[in-house]
């Protein structure tokens, strides 16, 4: 029997090249070797997104993004968290097993407080909903970025606490840190991130990509525009780039134009594929996925309800 893999996607809006090389591509390369589950975590997103129109369109967008990047919905259970109410149900049970002081140590919550912001109770409980996401499916491996490692540890702890209290029930999952290509730099040389406004859009039009690339910060002190080169390396080998950069020393505009073409070669087919996916197709895929996910989650929850004593 193949091992079970599960990961969750935040429906957080426009993806950039950093997301592609750091998360989408490694997932696409990996999921076919497992019994895989890919879930849009819309209830997690509710801790931050308070606009229904935005949330709705982000959910549809993230599904289209993954399909366009190469996920085959016939080879993975692709579903939306809110379609499987067992997730929030199990989260409650875990919340009754872990302590407040344990949850206070979670990074996402601590970071919010450190910024002087008020955290809602949903954010505080976030790790237990994520634990439920993972543990409901007897997940063996959880592919995530490094920033999510602690959350997978929390899931192990929840499994452990439950198993100790009620007997062996949950598999302790392991994180699989997606190495991707390391940190993809943005147009200013810092880590590409939507928070830094230094992104190159993944599914932008050619004009939008060109505008972002033309905006890559260059200084005239060296011969090679390092910020351009660092992004270009994602598309071509050092050998291929050596002759291009040698022949065009100091001609930053030509080098940026070459980069635009290389990005376009990768993106254009995915962008075309994405444009052909209708919202209705996304709804159908999520509906079919939810049915399969509910069959698995429902069976697991029956066992859990029996063990905790609410089934009479
Ligand atoms: P952002 O920093 O833009 O807010 P997210 O935190 O939403 O990005 O990241 C979503 C996923 O994309 C994570 O798995 C993260 O590791 C990956 N990712 C984001 N930015 C980069 C980057 N610059 N290089 C590599 N991976 C990245
Ligand atoms: N917290 C994860 C993130 O922000 C998303 C997530 C929710 C998740 N549930 C999950 C990831 C379950 C892996 C498995 O990226």
């Amino acid at each position: 029997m193949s091992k079970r893999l599960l990961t969750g996607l935040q429906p957080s809006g426009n993806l950039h090249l950093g997301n592609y090389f750091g998360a989408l591509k490694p997932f696409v390369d990996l999921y076919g070797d497992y019994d895989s589950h890919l879930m849009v975590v819309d209830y997690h997103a509710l801790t931050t997104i308070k606009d229904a129109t935005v949330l709705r369109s982000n959910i549809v967008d993230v599904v289209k993004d993954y399909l366009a990047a190469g996920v085959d919905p016939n080879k993975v259970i692709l579903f939306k968290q809110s379609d499987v109410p067992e997730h929030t149900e199990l989260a409650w049970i875990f919340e009754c097993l872990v302590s407040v002081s344990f949850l206070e140590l979670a990074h996402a919550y601590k970071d919010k407080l450190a910024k002087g912001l008020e955290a809602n109770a949903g954010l505080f409980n976030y790790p237990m909903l994520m634990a439920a996401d993972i543990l409901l499916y007897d997940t063996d491996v959880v592919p995530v970025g490094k920033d999510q490692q602690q959350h997978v540890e929390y899931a192990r702890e929840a499994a452990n606490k439950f198993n100790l209290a009620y007997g062996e029930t949950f598999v302790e999952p392991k994180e699989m840190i997606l190495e991707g290509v390391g940190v993809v730099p943005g147009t200013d040389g810092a880590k590409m991130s939507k928070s830094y406004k230094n992104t190159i859009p993944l599914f932008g039009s050619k004009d939008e990509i060109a505008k972002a690339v033309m905006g890559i910060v260059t200084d005239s002190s060296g011969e090679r525009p390092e910020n351009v080169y660092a992004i270009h390396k994602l598309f071509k080998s050092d050998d291929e780039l050596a002759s291009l950069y040698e022949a065009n020393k100091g001609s930053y505009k030509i080098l940026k134009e070459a980069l635009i073409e290389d990005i376009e070669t990768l993106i254009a087919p995915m962008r075309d594929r994405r444009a052909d996916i209708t919202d209705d197709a996304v709804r159908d895929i999520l509906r079919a996925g939810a049915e399969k996910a509910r069959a698995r989650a429902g069976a697991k929850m029956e066992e859990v309800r029996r063990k905790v004593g609410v089934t009479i």
Side-chain angles (χ1 to χ4, degrees):
M1 217 171 63
S2 37
K3 291 210 163 207
R4 288 210 173 164
L5 173 149
L6 177 141
T7 198
L9 310 172
Q10 286 274 3
S12 50
N14 292 336
L15 298 184
H16 52 70
L17 283 182
N19 299 136
Y20 178 73
F21 287 105
L24 273 80
K25 186 174 186 301
F27 180 82
V28 169
D29 292 342
L30 167 86
Y31 78 99
D33 296 336
Y34 294 83
D35 177 3
S36 290
H37 306 70
L38 184 59
M39 171 183 48
V40 182
V41 292
D42 48 354
Y43 275 152
H44 275 122
L46 209 52
T47 61
T48 51
I49 303 178
K50 308 296 176 186
D51 180 323
T53 310
V54 170
L55 183 54
R56 236 186 318 269
S57 71
N58 283 2
I59 291 169
V60 174
D61 280 346
V62 75
V63 174
K64 288 186 179 177
D65 294 337
Y66 271 75
L67 295 172
V71 168
D72 176 348
N74 298 311
K75 296 194 178 138
V76 60
I77 298 182
L78 174 52
F79 70 106
K80 175 153 78 63
Q81 187 184 38
S82 63
D83 284 338
V84 186
E86 285 82 356
H87 290 242
T88 42
E89 185 182 354
L90 181 58
W92 174 259
I93 294 174
F94 290 148
E95 281 153 29
C96 295
L97 282 169
V98 299
S99 67
V100 167
S101 55
F102 174 64
L103 290 178
E104 274 172 348
L105 298 175
H107 296 316
Y109 172 71
K110 279 207 313 200
D111 291 351
K112 191 101 179 184
L113 291 195
K115 286 184 193 144
L117 299 169
E118 191 180 60
N120 56 52
L123 184 74
F124 185 69
N125 289 319
Y126 186 113
M128 291 303 102
L129 180 55
M130 180 157 163
D133 296 341
I134 296 169
L135 300 179
L136 264 177
Y137 300 92
D138 293 331
T139 303
D140 299 293
V141 284
V142 186
V144 281
K146 187 114 185 71
D147 58 321
Q148 294 298 314
Q149 185 163 11
Q150 190 200 32
H151 283 148
V152 183
E153 286 162 14
Y154 270 61
R156 271 200 295 276
E157 185 61 22
N160 197 11
K161 281 238 156 64
F162 189 99
N163 292 346
L164 272 175
Y166 298 109
E168 210 50 43
T169 309
F170 291 112
V171 174
E172 287 193 30
K174 289 209 169 45
E175 63 273 27
M176 177 191 273
I177 304 300
L178 292 177
E179 295 297 348
V181 289
V183 173
V184 174
T187 54
D188 56 359
K191 173 187 186 265
M192 189 179 288
S193 169
K194 59 180 174 299
S195 333
Y196 304 154
K197 309 229 176 314
N198 64 355
T199 59
I200 298 174
L202 175 57
F203 292 116
S205 64
K206 186 168 181 189
D207 281 353
E208 286 164 339
I209 291 170
K211 188 160 172 268
V213 171
M214 285 304 171
I216 295 176
V217 179
T218 48
D219 68 35
S220 43
S221 60
E223 290 185 338
R224 194 169 82 176
E226 293 303 333
N227 290 341
V228 180
Y229 190 85
I231 298 173
H232 219 153
K233 261 177 48 177
L234 299 163
F235 298 87
K236 289 237 159 94
S237 67
D238 282 326
D239 279 353
E240 287 172 301
L241 290 181
S243 52
L244 177 71
Y245 279 70
E246 183 57 33
N248 295 289
K249 261 189 206 167
S251 312
Y252 295 172
K253 183 156 180 287
I254 294 176
L255 293 170
K256 285 180 172 178
E257 283 165 356
L259 173 58
I260 292 166
E261 284 315 314
D262 287 332
I263 296 177
E264 189 59 15
T265 304
L266 173 81
I267 305 275
M270 290 199 279
R271 194 170 52 214
D272 292 348
R273 218 180 310 158
R274 194 181 187 288
D276 287 338
I277 307 170
T278 62
D279 291 8
D280 278 340
V282 169
R283 280 188 203 101
D284 287 346
I285 288 168
L286 290 179
R287 198 176 306 120
E291 233 172 80
K292 291 185 196 148
R294 284 207 76 176
R296 290 185 171 185
K300 193 77 189 177
M301 265 323 283
E302 262 184 41
E303 180 187 351
V304 170
R305 288 188 207 105
R306 225 179 327 105
K307 286 189 167 160
V308 301
V310 295
T311 308
I312 53 166

